[in-house]
Amino acid sequence: MSERLLSYGEAIDEAIRQEMARDPSVFMMGEDIVGAAGRPEFWENLGGAYGGNRGLIVDFGPERVIDMPVSEMAFSGAGVGAAMAGARPIVDIMFIDLIGCCYDQLINQAPKIRYMTGGGYDCPVVFKTSYGGRAIPGLPKGGGAGVHHSQTMYSVVAHFPGLKVLTPSTPYNAKGLMTAAIRDNDPVMFLTHRFLGSVRGHVPEEPYTVPIGKADIAREGEDLTMVSIGGALPLCFEAADTLAADGLEAEIVDLQTINPIDEQTVYESVEKTHRLLVVDEDTPVASIGRDVAARVAQNRFGYLDAPVTSLHSADVPVPYSAALEEHMPPTAEKIVAAVNEMLVAF
Amino acid sequence: MSERLLSYGEAIDEAIRQEMARDPSVFMMGEDIVGAAGRPEFWENLGGAYGGNRGLIVDFGPERVIDMPVSEMAFSGAGVGAAMAGARPIVDIMFIDLIGCCYDQLINQAPKIRYMTGGGYDCPVVFKTSYGGRAIPGLPKGGGAGVHHSQTMYSVVAHFPGLKVLTPSTPYNAKGLMTAAIRDNDPVMFLTHRFLGSVRGHVPEEPYTVPIGKADIAREGEDLTMVSIGGALPLCFEAADTLAADGLEAEIVDLQTINPIDEQTVYESVEKTHRLLVVDEDTPVASIGRDVAARVAQNRFGYLDAPVTSLHSADVPVPYSAALEEHMPPTAEKIVAAVNEMLVAF
Amino acid sequence: MPLEIDRDKLLWIYRTMQLIRRFEEKYLELLNSGVPFGTGHLYIGQEAVATGVSAHLRTSDYIGSNHRGHGHCLAKGVDPIAMMAECYGRVTGTNRGRGGSMHITDARLGVLGVNPIIGQSMAHCVGAGMAINLRKGDDVAVSYLGDSAVGCGVFNESINLATIMNAPVIFVCENNQYAVTTPVEYAIAGKIIDRAAAYGIPGVKIDGMDVFAVYEAAGEAVERARGGGGPSFIEALTYRYEGHWIKDDHTKYRTMDEVDKFREQDPIPAFRSRVLAEQSLTAGDLDGIDAEIERLMDEMVEFAEASANPEADELFEHVFAEPVAGGQS
Amino acid sequence: MPLEIDRDKLLWIYRTMQLIRRFEEKYLELLNSGVPFGTGHLYIGQEAVATGVSAHLRTSDYIGSNHRGHGHCLAKGVDPIAMMAECYGRVTGTNRGRGGSMHITDARLGVLGVNPIIGQSMAHCVGAGMAINLRKGDDVAVSYLGDSAVGCGVFNESINLATIMNAPVIFVCENNQYAVTTPVEYAIAGKIIDRAAAYGIPGVKIDGMDVFAVYEAAGEAVERARGGGGPSFIEALTYRYEGHWIKDDHTKYRTMDEVDKFREQDPIPAFRSRVLAEQSLTAGDLDGIDAEIERLMDEMVEFAEASANPEADELFEHVFAEPVAGGQS
Ligand SMILES: Cc1ncc(C[n+]2csc(CCOP(=O)(O)OP(=O)(O)O)c2C)c(N)n1
Ligand SMILES: Cc1ncc(C[n+]2csc(CCOP(=O)(O)OP(=O)(O)O)c2C)c(N)n1
Ligand SMILES: [Mg+2]
Ligand SMILES: [Mg+2]
């Protein structure tokens, strides 16, 4: 395999482009995904108000790369309807904080169609959006993006049976999961982390899929299982390095799909390490992180040598001031501290 | 204390009526909460399309008991705005399955106002809605209410810091929690179970509050802690009776508030009983039930003599056919089976 | 004006209106005799609307419906036998018993679904319209909505989006003058028909009790949409004769005088008198249809009664297309 | 027509427009010099709108604003010093550093909040209007919205609800012709002003670059609302001179010719020429205000620079009014 490097954002774009080339029923819609809607003279330069998609409209035309008005309800619903009518829409919702404007379609419509029709309809729609906070510890103090542009909040979509929810963490799995998502016959929510966009990594050029519903052993270890969710992966690696220096080998299980969860892989790791720490940037209450912890505590209780632990963002709305926000999310230091506490506690 | 009996529904009505009499800034709005809007000649007979509120408009007038158009977004948002402007609105959302139509106001607006304004604004709004399935095991087979009128789903509102979420389980705590909710200066979501409406119990006539954020020891026991959420309480009692016949004394902790949770009461019970079963009618993934289990597994691990367990509705959308739906929710039999499994497992 | 509708179509119209009427009367009768239906909302009185619209539709066209959807589905061709079985919660139903009255679908007929979350199916129809445009087809999507949906957010978003996408969608607003107990004049500011004008699309207000008026307006709208002319809006003034849902007592919020006034405009007898007066059809034609429908009703109930409920282990089926890699708890 | 606005009001208008302009220019200047502001959206070019509207408002009136809210807040009287401190994320800010540019609030001034979820603050204004009616007050609520909000669901729900509640709300749509990069003529079907007419409420389209036109239209609307005449709608045609947000390069989606055309209609020089030509104010009056504002700008930046950031343990404050019984993890 060649060492072709792409950014996380480019990897996703490549998957979309390849699937659009492969299947004429794939199309994409969202606010400002091209920009300058109706003004082709600008399209050469543009590729979405916030980057990405560059040139997509030039290659596939405005019939398949469609800028939307500010109408999340209508166009996420249109995604559902188009999927039922035989197309494969990719619906871009600018950021996860906006799902309150189209939540019914995401949780009451798309996920239930197959079930309530007794398998009568497929609903192959992909909802793509971004999550995660922005305050980077160590940056000069100032402002973050504020509470409505910084949330993680994926737990409230992962709650509903019938919707597959993906949290890719590397360019490689981002491309493979996007390809899988577009080809999937069920509704899929594809969640990118706001911070990972420019992270680079090895990405093969030819189309490939990463299986939905399968966790990835991102690092092997014997002493402790860290379950990482989405944007937590770099933090887990950093913490694992620190712990390794102290002689503690952490196994990192990158969940990749947060519903339905690959319980088996998590259980097998815990059977080996006897310890579990879940790292989840979402706030804790009724979170996917606590969900994983609870499953292990219920189903692999006998294997545990220490309390199952989950580490989250602080249970508060996201404050604007970076001086506050930087204390909110999990960090490598907090992971290390949680591991140490866990080992002492028992 | 007199043995005055009221139904769960009547108890809530009484709290609303007493608080409206006490404080002129309290008002109520929702779809068909009176009925025949604009036609006073009908109001004497009416009290909401689905019962409740009888006579409220006759006593307090259409300025304070206001029928709404089908506009959950606008009127839940109007509740937020009215609360910021000094009123105390009670916003009636017909059933929880509709929150997808106004989710932004419930999770992005109301809960964040105090925090993001640095305490600048109070937001004393009560959102009242109902949850829970309808298929009663043992009834003649036929149809339930279908997937959009049968969900529990409270976990996705309990997720957000800043919103208090209540799940009263008896007429007594329903009245006391509603009174507390109306007087509270924070947004409160008040969730009634669709099945409990006609359950009767002792309710004092004079106004009183039940503290928000406090769990209730509904039954004492030494051998096992059952954490019950909302509509699960009658099932827990039934199961506890069965278990008692086998010599196992379950302590039932009725959570009452599902965010923020009364951890302390749960922990104290588990410290005594060494075993935890959470009974939660919501589906399992990223649920409040698994949240409670995870907290105990993390913070009281050393006390546990058995795997923490949580029992939920099956992880599927709610099917219409009663022949299917009756297998979905937790039942007393399933609780007993889960307890037995838990005891064997370790 | 004399009728310019051919005989087969006239027979189809009568048969469809009568089928809807009799299906629902049967539903009520069964309910009253103790069949444990879940919730349901009756269309009786509004038959002319779905019938007049569907007279222009073909199998590959789509419809999106609201909670009061029996009539929309039957007019689009859904098998009444499978539909009644669905209401019984049987595994032989349109949705294998998982949907019920409020979620009837039929993928082979483009029935995107009866959908009880007010307004949300409007967006599905816009999406179906976009899919049609993408494949350069000339199918259309009909979005049925009640008067209450006019006050919903998704109304604004969907019609706006349909318009700027030039999607072949016909929005059919059945103004039956109530949302549960709430009169439309209380809930909706201004005139419904002016709402459509605001998007710059063609809109027309018609008498929804008159199947010919519906037929004409829908014909124009469907033809326009098929020809690439984009969305349009029809407000059909109509009335439901029964309560909002199967257990609703409508005398609590409206007078029987009002109900009677609209019962006098009943679309089925009106159709009958007109076609007989104009000699387009004979009493024999119509009676023959009635008899045929009665036989169908009997067969339908027999089938539903005889059908099995879903097996308990079906509970976990059809959550996803295929089992997922990691499995589920 | 000659001006019928008294001298004090004219001075207030000039001062307010200039304050907004200079606040924002300072914001840009600071940003370019490396102050780590979070996101923010500049109002430069649109000053006439908030100013002409707020000229009729009193302290107890309410406003609800969108993401482009600096101008709305300053015109309503929010202290620029506290507002800039907020943008810096300081504990001395309007929101103690927790809101930032996109969430400025001021409870003492009825500023319900800058609110970046498009359209949602419209509903808050309807609620404020209902609260005013409940206490039989004669305050009003002004709901500022952009052209994009016209396509949102909450637009339909909020105006409909305000109308049927007869709430004293003035909906001020600032049509600056873009939503991020998307031209209004692409995104909004029909004419914005026709959308208002559909609710049967008074609506007027005005030149939003002309503060006098705004003043007049807003005056009528506010008077109507205070007198119990209910909601109304104003569409102000305007233009933002800068990118959508502080890092947006607007040359990627519009021509500089177009930008220049609107720069020529800049409301501040236009105001200046007119009041000088009509001799309502003198150059000395205006220059005095300019100088005063410059001093304020210096003081503002000094204050923000000197202010402290919130302490780390404030992270957990103000989630609820009081600590909750069971505590939190
Ligand atoms: C979003 C939403 N809000 C509320 C309800 C509860 N509800 C069911 S039917 C109905 C009224 C519908 O009235 P209309 O749209 O006029 O249709 P009709 O029943 O008159 O046919 C309401 C409010 C719902 N199903 N969905
Ligand atoms: C519901 C919602 N969708 C999308 C966005 C992202 N967004 C931020 S500003 C904006 C465009 C706003 O345009 P307009 O309302 O015309 O106001 P302007 O920026 O022109 O002042 C969009 C789409 C958002 N904040 N909220
Ligand atoms: Mg109606
Ligand atoms: Mg704009």
Side-chain angles (χ1 to χ4, degrees), chain D residues 129 133 161-169 228-231:
Chain D
N133 282 351
L161 184 59
T163 305
I164 72 174
M165 291 291 112
N166 196 39
V169 182

Tab-separated table of all heavy atoms in Angstrom, chain D residues 129 133 161-169 228-231:
chain	number	residue	atom	x	y	z
D	129	GLY	N	-44.044	39.066	23.959
D	129	GLY	CA	-45.284	39.784	23.648
D	129	GLY	C	-46.469	39.223	24.420
D	129	GLY	O	-47.323	39.964	24.924
D	133	ASN	N	-48.837	41.168	27.151
D	133	ASN	CA	-50.307	41.153	27.134
D	133	ASN	C	-50.868	40.651	28.452
D	133	ASN	O	-51.857	41.179	28.963
D	133	ASN	CB	-50.822	40.283	25.985
D	133	ASN	CG	-50.749	40.989	24.645
D	133	ASN	OD1	-50.472	42.197	24.582
D	133	ASN	ND2	-50.990	40.247	23.563
D	161	LEU	N	-48.456	32.614	15.206
D	161	LEU	CA	-48.825	32.649	16.622
D	161	LEU	C	-48.943	34.088	17.126
D	161	LEU	O	-49.894	34.435	17.832
D	161	LEU	CB	-47.799	31.863	17.454
D	161	LEU	CG	-48.107	31.745	18.945
D	161	LEU	CD1	-49.452	31.070	19.184
D	161	LEU	CD2	-47.007	30.978	19.666
D	162	ALA	N	-47.994	34.936	16.752
D	162	ALA	CA	-48.064	36.343	17.170
D	162	ALA	C	-49.373	36.962	16.700
D	162	ALA	O	-50.020	37.711	17.430
D	162	ALA	CB	-46.878	37.121	16.603
D	163	THR	N	-49.767	36.600	15.495
D	163	THR	CA	-50.978	37.198	14.933
D	163	THR	C	-52.213	36.740	15.693
D	163	THR	O	-53.034	37.555	16.106
D	163	THR	CB	-51.093	36.841	13.439
D	163	THR	OG1	-49.889	37.257	12.783
D	163	THR	CG2	-52.275	37.540	12.794
D	164	ILE	N	-52.332	35.443	15.917
D	164	ILE	CA	-53.560	34.988	16.584
D	164	ILE	C	-53.567	35.379	18.061
D	164	ILE	O	-54.628	35.495	18.661
D	164	ILE	CB	-53.857	33.483	16.373
D	164	ILE	CG1	-52.897	32.594	17.139
D	164	ILE	CG2	-53.849	33.132	14.881
D	164	ILE	CD1	-53.261	31.118	17.048
D	165	MET	N	-52.386	35.625	18.637
D	165	MET	CA	-52.324	36.096	20.034
D	165	MET	C	-52.399	37.627	20.101
D	165	MET	O	-52.372	38.197	21.188
D	165	MET	CB	-51.012	35.633	20.687
D	165	MET	CG	-50.913	34.141	20.931
D	165	MET	SD	-52.056	33.586	22.207
D	165	MET	CE	-53.184	32.605	21.210
D	166	ASN	N	-52.435	38.270	18.973
D	166	ASN	CA	-52.377	39.736	18.918
D	166	ASN	C	-51.223	40.259	19.777
D	166	ASN	O	-51.358	41.220	20.540
D	166	ASN	CB	-53.702	40.339	19.383
D	166	ASN	CG	-53.827	41.790	18.985
D	166	ASN	OD1	-53.415	42.168	17.882
D	166	ASN	ND2	-54.357	42.618	19.862
D	167	ALA	N	-50.090	39.650	19.640
D	167	ALA	CA	-48.928	40.008	20.457
D	167	ALA	C	-48.247	41.257	19.897
D	167	ALA	O	-48.151	41.421	18.686
D	167	ALA	CB	-47.944	38.844	20.489
D	168	PRO	N	-47.771	42.129	20.768
D	168	PRO	CA	-47.120	43.364	20.324
D	168	PRO	C	-45.687	43.112	19.858
D	168	PRO	O	-44.732	43.419	20.564
D	168	PRO	CB	-47.156	44.245	21.578
D	168	PRO	CG	-47.116	43.269	22.715
D	168	PRO	CD	-47.855	42.049	22.242
D	169	VAL	N	-45.569	42.518	18.681
D	169	VAL	CA	-44.251	42.144	18.170
D	169	VAL	C	-44.031	42.816	16.817
D	169	VAL	O	-44.920	42.801	15.968
D	169	VAL	CB	-44.130	40.619	17.993
D	169	VAL	CG1	-42.729	40.238	17.509
D	169	VAL	CG2	-44.464	39.879	19.283
D	228	GLY	N	-52.179	48.151	21.104
D	228	GLY	CA	-52.986	46.933	21.065
D	228	GLY	C	-53.318	46.470	19.661
D	228	GLY	O	-54.168	45.600	19.457
D	229	GLY	N	-52.621	47.040	18.678
D	229	GLY	CA	-52.922	46.706	17.280
D	229	GLY	C	-52.200	45.464	16.769
D	229	GLY	O	-52.330	45.108	15.598
D	230	GLY	N	-51.422	44.835	17.634
D	230	GLY	CA	-50.816	43.556	17.254
D	230	GLY	C	-49.559	43.679	16.424
D	230	GLY	O	-48.968	44.756	16.302
D	231	PRO	N	-49.152	42.542	15.869
D	231	PRO	CA	-47.848	42.459	15.211
D	231	PRO	C	-47.820	43.129	13.844
D	231	PRO	O	-48.855	43.306	13.210
D	231	PRO	CB	-47.638	40.954	15.049
D	231	PRO	CG	-48.999	40.375	14.993
D	231	PRO	CD	-49.859	41.247	15.858
